[in-house]
């Protein structure tokens, strides 16, 4: 009976199954504390929108405005409206929904154009790989941008393949408008670059027609974003223009950063993109590496020119969907190799297309070199089994967590992870442990059978269960120990922060910003340097405190009140001080 039910879900309700599985993997685990500085920075924009009513260019963290367009923040605010406040859950919910939508459309789109089994496995690989899973649980713009971009690329492919570029489906400019409103012009430029290269490779249309089609899509996609950009410029003026040019063109063309008060950062070499792709697709890159061992390598007796010619003949002869996936992958990697700033999340639009290529390759390996799949299954099961047994021993008290950590490492993040496992004693935690045990036993059982494809499916199930283990048992402790919430609640209860202003430094070239503290204190910070107050509370980090005292102790008297227990997202303990102006003559600032 159980087997027939699973077959029914796979054959009759595959998209519904993927949506439900993804929802189970994400929604129960997106309510934990913020433990990085990026998430509360974005969530605070939604807080400002709801509190100020400014939905165009709201102010956050003293006098700062958002670095990115507001689509993600609009969605966060919309998800927060029913409860009247922005929470961790409501701010992460748009990313989770975006991932669920992406997975559903990936299966529906590719399932109609390639073998359904390939599309189904590709969707499962996409769901369980590290980078996409992490982005789907974060209050950031990247998952939302990826979904709009990939859905737009799917519609461009359909426009050419089914309609031969006749007319222009309105959904295409709407999707790219949404992408541009999520992270700027890259939401339009990148997919049009991919589509332009793909059309040129097809050699089906005149060059003039290709340019005209891309121009139509680009111009029609600009109308809605331009409305926001004009309104934002009227509100923010030159400061907004400087940040917009730096974020969207300064990164790409390696321009000067002098017009803005922060460094663009994330400057890496070209090789960084390949390293992040390898790490982002874990654990499936490990299976790819396993498949390289034992393969028969032969040096072709051909010239390099002939090899390239044969490769091109093969490329133009393969099915269109596979060709489009290769073009999209190569173009995205090439595009993001140009900017000086590089981050792993920039490459996420390539992940659905890479997953298709990996699924086809893994099915081939499973059918023709089954030993590789079996060895990988045994390897990954052994690693997960060790994690399961360690977690079980810690949760049942057989191992003392503090003593265990002290013997092997002094790293705070590892200590928090182990202590978090020790505190996971809820019914849901034990359910997750049971699911992980079932997944381990399933892989072991399938490796004793001869149906090789089931070994691959069971390994995917094991990766899914491992994500549940990490998200539901390991990460809660890490989040809580690295969160600014407890310190924010502590000082809010002890001091009258609502009547006296809380001041911070807002100069990222000199000081670090406490974005998580700002979120948990209701986006109430004021700029110490620009407002020149005579008294109030002052928040900074231990790392920056010495610099603050060196610059301002001759003008102000500072009294240290509280210090946080943990370093948290800022990698330094937070410090609350009370300050007062020493004399009216000392209020001036040095140039």
């Amino acid at each position: 009976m159980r087997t027939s039910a699973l077959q029914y879900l796979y054959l009759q309700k595959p998209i519904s199954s993927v949506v439900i599985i993804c929802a189970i993997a994400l929604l129960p685990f997106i309510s934990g504390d913020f433990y990085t500085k990026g998430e509360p920075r974005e969530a605070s924009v939604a807080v400002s929108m709801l509190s100020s009513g400014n939905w165009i260019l709201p102010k956050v963290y003293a006098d700062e405005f958002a670095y990115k367009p507001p689509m993600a923040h609009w969605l966060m605010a919309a998800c927060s409206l029913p409860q009247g406040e922005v929470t961790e859950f409501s701010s992460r919910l748009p990313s989770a929904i975006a991932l669920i939508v992406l997975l559903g459309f990936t299966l529906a789109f590719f399932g109609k154009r390639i073998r359904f089994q390939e599309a189904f496995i590709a969707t499962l690989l996409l769901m369980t790989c590290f980078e996409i899973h992490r982005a789907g649980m974060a209050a950031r713009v990247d998952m939302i941008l990826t979904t709009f971009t990939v859905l737009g690329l799917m519609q461009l492919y359909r426009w050419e393949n089914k309609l031969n570029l006749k007319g222009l489906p309105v959904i295409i400019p709407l999707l790219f408008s949404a992408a541009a409103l999520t992270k700027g012009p890259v939401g339009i430029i990148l997919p049009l670059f991919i589509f332009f290269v793909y059309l040129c490779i097809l050699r089906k249309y005149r060059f003039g027609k290709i340019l005209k089609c891309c121009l139509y899509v680009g111009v029609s996609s600009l109308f809605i974003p331009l409305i926001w950009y004009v309104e934002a410029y009227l509100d923010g003026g030159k400061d907004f223009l400087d940040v917009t040019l730096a974020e969207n063109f300064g990164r790409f063309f390696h321009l000067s950063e002098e017009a803005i008060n922060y460094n663009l950062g994330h400057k890496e070499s070209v090789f960084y993109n390949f390293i992040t792709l390898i790490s982002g697709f874990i654990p499936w890159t490990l299976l790819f590496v396993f498949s390289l061992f034992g393969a028969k390598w032969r040096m072709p007796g051909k010239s390099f020119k002939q090899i390239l010619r044969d490769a091109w003949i093969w490329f133009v002869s393969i099915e269109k969907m596979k060709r489009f996936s290769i073009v999209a992958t190569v173009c995205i990697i090439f595009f993001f190799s140009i900017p000086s700033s590089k981050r792993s999340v920039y490459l996420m639009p390539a992940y659905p297309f890479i997953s298709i290529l990996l699924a086809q390759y893994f099915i081939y390996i499973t059918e023709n070199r089954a030993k590789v799949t079996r060895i990988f299954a045994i390897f990954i099961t052994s690693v997960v089994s060790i994690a399961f047994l360690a977690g079980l021993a810690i949760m049942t008290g057989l191992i003392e967590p503090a003593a265990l950590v002290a013997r092997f490492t002094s790293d705070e993040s590892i200590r928090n992870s182990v202590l978090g496992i020790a505190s996971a004693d809820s019914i849901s935690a034990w359910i997750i442990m049971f699911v992980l045990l079932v997944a381990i036993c399933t892989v072991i059982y399938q490796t004793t059978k001869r149906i090789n494809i089931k070994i691959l499916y069971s390994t995917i199930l094991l990766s899914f269960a491992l994500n549940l283990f990490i998200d539901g048992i390991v990460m809660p402790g890490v989040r809580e120990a690295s969160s600014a919430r407890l310190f924010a609640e502590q000082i809010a209860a002890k001091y009258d922060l609502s009547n006296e202003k809380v001041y911070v430094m807002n100069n990222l070239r000199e000081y670090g910003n406490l974005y998580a503290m700002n979120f948990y204190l209701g986006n109430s910070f004021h700029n110490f340097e620009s407002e020149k107050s005579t008294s109030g509370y002052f928040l900074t980090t231990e790392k920056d405190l010495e610099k603050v005292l060196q610059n301002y102790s001759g003008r102000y008297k500072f009294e240290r009140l509280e210090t946080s227990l943990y370093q948290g997202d800022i990698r330094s303990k937070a410090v609350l001080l009370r300050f007062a102006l020493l004399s009216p003559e000392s209020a001036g600032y040095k140039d």
Side-chain angles (χ1 to χ4, degrees):
M1 185 67 181
R2 180 171 57 88
T3 303
S4 61
L6 293 175
Q7 287 178 345
Y8 173 78
L9 290 175
Y10 172 73
L11 296 174
Q12 303 298 328
K13 302 289 182 180
I15 298 177
S16 300
S17 301
V18 166
V19 168
I20 293 172
I21 292 171
C22 187
I24 292 173
L26 295 177
L27 298 183
F29 310 111
I30 61 174
S31 58
D33 291 353
F34 291 135
Y35 65 105
T36 63
K37 61 182 179 181
E39 288 188 283
R41 182 182 63 195
E42 305 297 347
S44 294
V45 181
V47 172
S48 181
M49 285 179 174
L50 292 181
S51 61
S52 68
N54 184 343
W55 294 70
I56 301 298
L57 200 65
K59 293 293 179 66
V60 294
Y61 202 86
D63 53 1
E64 184 178 286
F65 51 81
Y67 300 154
K68 303 176 184 72
M71 176 59 74
H73 313 120
W74 287 343
L75 295 175
M76 292 178 191
C79 291
S80 305
L81 281 175
Q83 57 193 4
E85 65 173 341
V86 180
T87 64
E88 297 93 342
F89 181 88
S90 64
S91 58
R92 289 169 175 151
L93 187 57
S95 292
I97 294 174
L99 176 53
I100 293 171
V101 170
L102 175 64
L103 292 172
F105 274 91
T106 297
L107 180 56
F109 179 79
F110 288 110
K112 293 179 180 179
R113 292 164 176 85
I114 60 176
R115 286 172 54 196
F116 184 79
Q117 186 183 54
E118 295 174 348
F120 189 74
I121 291 178
T123 306
L124 297 179
L125 297 181
L126 188 64
M127 182 194 304
T128 53
C129 74
F130 170 75
E131 191 69 66
I132 293 294
H133 179 75
R134 180 181 67 164
M137 301 183 67
R140 303 294 294 268
V141 305
D142 305 291
M143 192 69 249
I144 299 169
L145 173 68
T146 297
T147 298
F148 284 133
T149 302
V150 173
L151 295 189
L153 284 170
M154 291 176 179
Q155 292 302 315
L156 286 177
Y157 178 88
R158 181 178 177 274
W159 183 36
E160 187 285 321
N161 190 57
K162 188 174 182 180
L163 302 177
N164 292 315
L165 303 181
K166 294 178 181 178
L168 179 59
V170 68
I171 188 64
I172 294 176
L174 286 179
L175 286 169
F176 293 146
S177 294
L181 281 173
T182 303
K183 206 171 183 178
V186 68
I188 299 173
I189 296 172
L190 175 60
L192 285 184
F193 169 63
I194 295 169
F195 193 53
F196 173 81
V197 173
Y198 174 69
L199 291 179
C200 290
I201 289 175
L202 281 183
R203 302 177 67 179
K204 182 179 176 181
Y205 306 96
R206 299 190 309 274
F207 186 75
K209 183 175 179 61
I210 295 174
L211 285 178
K212 184 170 68 174
C213 289
C214 291
L215 182 63
Y216 284 167
V217 174
V219 172
S220 60
S221 301
L222 282 173
F223 287 135
I224 297 177
L226 276 177
I227 296 174
W228 175 80
Y229 274 104
V230 170
E231 290 294 328
Y233 174 73
L234 294 176
D235 189 353
K238 184 179 181 300
D239 291 338
F240 167 76
L241 185 62
D242 290 340
V243 170
T244 300
L245 292 176
E247 287 286 333
N248 295 288
F249 300 101
R251 291 183 187 273
F252 199 85
F253 295 107
H254 305 232
L255 300 179
S256 172
E257 303 170 3
E258 295 179 358
I260 56 177
N261 69 342
Y262 62 95
N263 297 317
L264 293 173
H266 307 294
K267 296 181 179 179
E268 305 287 348
S269 68
V270 174
F271 298 103
Y272 177 82
N273 283 340
F274 298 96
I275 294 172
T276 56
L277 273 179
I278 293 172
S279 60
F281 250 107
I282 285 177
W284 307 117
T285 43
L286 296 177
L287 176 54
F288 179 81
V289 171
F290 270 64
S291 70
L292 300 180
F293 293 97
K296 297 180 180 179
W297 300 93
R298 294 182 303 172
M299 292 298 295
K302 301 178 181 178
S303 65
F304 183 69
K305 184 177 180 180
Q306 183 62 43
I307 293 174
L308 291 179
R309 184 182 299 138
D310 292 345
W312 176 257
I313 293 173
W314 168 84
F315 176 70
V316 297
S317 65
I318 59 177
E319 57 189 14
K320 287 183 68 174
M321 192 68 260
K322 190 172 183 178
R323 199 184 322 163
F324 183 74
S325 298
I326 294 174
V327 170
T329 300
V330 173
C331 286
I332 291 170
I333 296 174
F334 171 78
F335 185 89
F336 287 114
S337 295
I338 299 174
S340 57
S341 297
K342 296 177 179 65
R343 295 184 64 218
S344 59
V345 292
Y346 293 169
L347 301 176
M348 279 171 39
Y351 276 61
F353 303 102
I354 296 176
S355 67
I356 290 295
L357 303 175
L358 283 179
Q360 293 174 335
Y361 178 69
F362 290 163
I363 292 174
Y364 169 81
I365 290 295
T366 302
E367 293 175 348
N368 296 277
R369 293 174 58 204
K371 188 176 180 180
V372 172
T373 308
R374 289 177 180 272
I375 293 175
F376 173 74
I378 293 171
F379 169 78
I380 200 73
T381 303
S382 301
V383 174
V384 175
S385 297
I386 293 172
F388 171 80
L389 292 174
L392 186 64
I394 294 172
M395 291 174 64
T396 55
L398 295 177
I399 297 178
E400 178 59 37
L404 176 69
V405 175
R407 289 182 59 185
F408 294 99
T409 180
S410 60
D411 187 273
E412 185 177 1
S413 62
I414 298 177
R415 181 180 67 85
N416 294 335
S417 300
V418 176
L419 294 177
I421 296 174
S423 62
D425 195 23
S426 62
I427 295 177
S428 60
W430 286 106
I431 292 175
I432 291 172
M433 292 296 287
F434 176 73
V435 171
L436 186 59
L437 177 62
V438 170
I440 293 171
C441 293
T442 301
V443 177
I444 295 174
Y445 173 75
Q446 292 299 336
T447 54
T448 64
K449 302 299 179 180
R450 295 184 177 181
I451 306 177
N452 298 321
I453 194 65
K454 288 189 176 181
I455 299 176
L456 180 59
Y457 276 114
S458 62
T459 308
I460 295 174
L461 171 64
L462 183 60
S463 299
F464 174 81
L466 179 61
N467 284 340
L468 293 181
F469 174 77
I470 294 172
D471 297 332
I473 297 179
V474 177
M475 290 306 297
V478 176
R479 286 173 176 163
E480 185 174 346
S482 302
S483 170
R485 178 181 57 83
L486 295 178
F487 185 61
E489 292 176 349
Q490 173 189 334
I491 61 177
K494 192 172 182 179
Y495 303 96
D496 190 12
L497 303 183
S498 58
N499 289 328
E500 290 192 62
K501 293 181 178 179
V502 179
Y503 292 87
V504 292
M505 295 296 186
N506 190 15
N507 182 354
L508 285 171
R509 292 190 186 275
E510 299 292 335
Y511 307 97
N513 281 2
L514 295 89
Y515 288 111
M517 289 294 297
N518 178 58
F519 173 81
Y520 286 113
L521 290 175
N523 191 40
S524 59
F525 288 175
H526 296 264
N527 194 318
F528 180 80
E529 292 181 308
S530 63
E531 294 195 18
K532 301 181 181 180
S533 177
T534 58
S535 64
Y537 294 103
F538 182 81
L539 265 172
T540 186
T541 66
E542 277 196 331
K543 183 171 58 178
D544 293 332
L545 180 58
E546 183 178 351
K547 186 185 298 184
V548 172
L549 295 178
Q550 182 180 351
N551 291 336
Y552 297 100
S553 59
R555 305 169 192 174
Y556 293 92
K557 176 185 177 181
F558 290 93
E559 177 189 359
R560 187 166 182 158
L561 301 176
E562 304 286 342
T563 303
S564 64
L565 293 177
Y566 302 117
Q567 294 186 359
D569 62 292
I570 51 179
R571 303 295 183 265
S572 179
K573 293 182 178 180
V575 182
L576 176 69
L577 305 100
R578 192 193 305 272
F579 72 92
L581 187 67
L582 290 175
S583 64
E585 293 77 15
S586 64
Y589 283 77
K590 293 185 293 185
D591 293 333

